[in-house]
Amino acid sequence: MELLLSNFPPLRTKAATFSEMFYSLLPKTTRLDIAVGYITADSLIELKKAIEFNNISQMNLTIGMHYLEKFTELEYQSAIDLNDYLISNKLGQVRLVTSFRYHGKLYSYQDDAGAFVGIIGSNNLSGIIENNVRVYEASVLIDDRTYASQIQDFIQELNRTSTVCIEELDIQEFNVQNTLLENHEYVEQLNGLKLEKHLSELTDISFDIPIKSDEAPQSNLNVFFGKGREGKNGLVKPRHWYEVELIVPKMVTSQPFYPQSKTDEAIFDVITDDGWKFKCKVSGDYSKNLRSENDLKIMGKWLKGRLENKGVLRVGQLVTKDTLKKYGRDTFTLTKTQTPNLWFLDFGVK
């Protein structure tokens, strides 16, 4: 038995995180069964990538809360996409608990001899990705085949008695709230008065940052489609769906007043037109790289989240010129404010 903890400050321990353990077990796993209360759209696509990269021969996902408490439309479409992939490749299914609210979090790993490890605790499926959301989770790894088999047996009984395959359900009503950056580490949500104050301090120094799309199929907003990160044990971990690093043309970065790498202005605060505040950084030759500081996913959640909310992008789809055309713009604006080292990002459309 081993304790798995979130391990962010001020409570760091020597225990592994749930995400670290989840991925470390995949290379020796032939079948994976998961029964959790909640999922997120990005965790579903990351799970699909992990299956593809690591040759899992069978995978079943049971979702316990969303049938009665509703999905967002993005979560639902991502679950449908995963189910279609599993069924078309004869790997398994996505099933929803319909008889009651199932809030458990169980993970069962099998090899050729049967269930060899289980994980039980507080981690929903979003725990497989490093989201930097400051909710401290605790789970336990069960590395005893007897108890691991009990977890596996329970998941199968849950599926047999209380679930329906997602493709057999007619789901038309969705949760419309977007919570991608809420409670996110390194991100502050501004109230209306603070945002209004900053908007009154905008200067005339402004740059249009082009968003490269399908002409950069494995970079910029499409880093997810690049090669995963391969570990020493052969595990290939996919790049996160919201991981983003923008390449800004020299014709923009060479203009006067654009932030320059290796200077005191290389890391700066930004406020966004929809009320978020976080840090960004420029780096590389001619300051071409623009990203969110501390976590590459913050910029991605802001940009790709806007495309998703507009209904022009689904998790797992390439950002193309057509995506941006449907959204209404293929640039965002970086504008200097009168406050030192504070810039304004605008990706709004009318």
Side-chain angles (χ1 to χ4, degrees):
M1 190 174 77
E2 181 177 340
L3 194 59
L4 309 174
L5 297 170
S6 290
N7 275 335
F8 57 70
L11 187 50
R12 289 196 183 278
T13 74
K14 295 181 179 179
T17 67
F18 169 78
S19 177
E20 291 168 345
M21 187 58 70
F22 177 86
Y23 284 103
S24 72
L25 293 168
L26 293 184
K28 48 191 173 186
T29 299
T30 57
R31 171 172 174 160
L32 178 63
D33 290 272
I34 301 172
V36 292
Y38 295 102
I39 55 83
T40 57
D42 52 344
S43 64
L44 289 172
I45 191 67
E46 188 145 329
L47 177 61
K48 177 174 177 288
K49 278 280 188 182
I51 297 165
E52 291 174 341
F53 285 157
N54 294 285
N55 299 314
I56 305 294
S57 59
Q58 192 167 5
M59 211 296 295
N60 293 287
L61 172 63
T62 304
I63 303 172
M65 298 294 285
H66 287 282
Y67 178 73
L68 294 175
E69 293 193 356
K70 300 179 183 177
F71 291 95
T72 65
E73 189 165 359
L74 182 65
E75 290 167 344
Y76 175 71
Q77 291 298 338
S78 300
I80 287 290
D81 290 345
L82 177 60
N83 184 66
D84 290 345
Y85 168 78
L86 293 173
I87 289 179
S88 62
N89 289 280
K90 299 180 179 177
L91 295 173
Q93 290 182 332
V94 175
R95 301 184 69 85
L96 306 188
V97 179
T98 56
S99 303
F100 43 77
R101 287 175 169 82
Y102 167 78
H103 199 250
K105 292 92 179 178
L106 297 174
Y107 299 78
S108 172
Y109 297 79
Q110 292 189 53
D111 56 20
D112 293 338
F116 69 98
V117 158
I119 297 176
I120 181 171
S122 67
N123 290 97
N124 280 298
L125 192 67
S126 59
I128 71 172
I129 53 182
E130 300 292 347
N131 258 329
N132 285 332
V133 174
R134 289 184 65 81
V135 177
Y136 210 100
E137 306 283 3
S139 293
V140 173
L141 172 77
I142 308 291
D143 54 357
D144 178 289
R145 285 188 179 268
T146 299
Y147 295 117
S149 294
Q150 288 183 12
I151 292 174
Q152 170 64 19
D153 291 345
F154 174 79
I155 294 175
Q156 291 185 354
E157 186 67 6
L158 174 67
N159 283 334
R160 187 184 68 79
T161 61
S162 311
T163 68
V164 177
C165 181
I166 191 170
E167 69 176 11
E168 299 173 20
L169 295 166
D170 181 23
I171 295 177
Q172 301 289 336
E173 295 184 6
F174 300 100
N175 184 342
V176 297
Q177 291 185 330
N178 173 28
T179 59
L180 283 178
L181 288 177
E182 282 186 8
N183 299 315
H184 200 293
E185 194 167 21
Y186 309 116
V187 179
E188 178 186 348
Q189 187 167 14
L190 302 177
N191 61 38
L193 289 177
K194 281 188 176 180
L195 181 59
E196 188 174 340
K197 173 181 179 296
H198 291 308
L199 291 177
S200 68
E201 297 176 339
L202 298 184
T203 70
D204 294 332
I205 301 171
S206 189
F207 307 92
D208 278 335
I209 310 296
I211 301 174
K212 295 181 180 178
S213 50
D214 40 356
E215 70 271 24
Q218 297 183 345
S219 61
N220 289 271
L221 266 61
N222 292 317
V223 168
F224 171 76
F225 297 96
K227 185 179 179 181
R229 294 187 175 93
E230 186 170 355
K232 294 180 180 179
N233 61 355
L235 168 70
V236 181
K237 190 173 181 180
R239 305 289 290 269
H240 193 278
W241 167 244
Y242 290 112
E243 191 174 316
V244 160
E245 185 164 28
L246 300 166
I247 307 298
V248 183
K250 190 174 182 178
M251 62 180 294
V252 175
T253 65
S254 61
Q255 294 181 38
F257 305 113
Y258 187 87
Q260 296 298 303
S261 61
K262 300 179 181 177
T263 70
D264 291 342
E265 289 76 38
I267 298 175
F268 51 91
D269 292 314
V270 298
I271 54 172
T272 68
D273 62 296
D274 52 350
W276 302 103
K277 182 178 181 181
F278 50 90
K279 288 186 180 297
C280 282
K281 179 180 181 179
V282 293
S283 60
D285 295 339
Y286 60 86
S287 308
K288 65 180 180 181
N289 303 106
L290 173 60
R291 64 178 204 176
S292 46
E293 174 70 343
N294 300 310
D295 184 345
L296 295 178
K297 298 187 291 294
I298 295 173
M299 180 72 89
K301 288 181 178 181
W302 181 64
L303 285 171
K304 296 174 83 169
R306 302 284 286 269
L307 300 176
E308 291 166 352
N309 283 349
K310 187 77 172 180
V312 300
L313 179 68
R314 285 168 54 181
V315 173
Q317 289 182 334
L318 199 70
V319 177
T320 66
K321 290 179 181 177
D322 189 53
T323 306
L324 299 174
K325 183 178 180 181
K326 289 177 179 175
Y327 177 73
R329 64 186 294 183
D330 57 5
T331 65
F332 64 89
T333 307
L334 176 68
T335 302
K336 191 174 180 60
T337 75
Q338 295 173 17
T339 302
N341 230 28
L342 179 66
W343 293 74
F344 175 65
L345 292 180
D346 183 5
F347 192 41
V349 291
K350 296 180 180 178

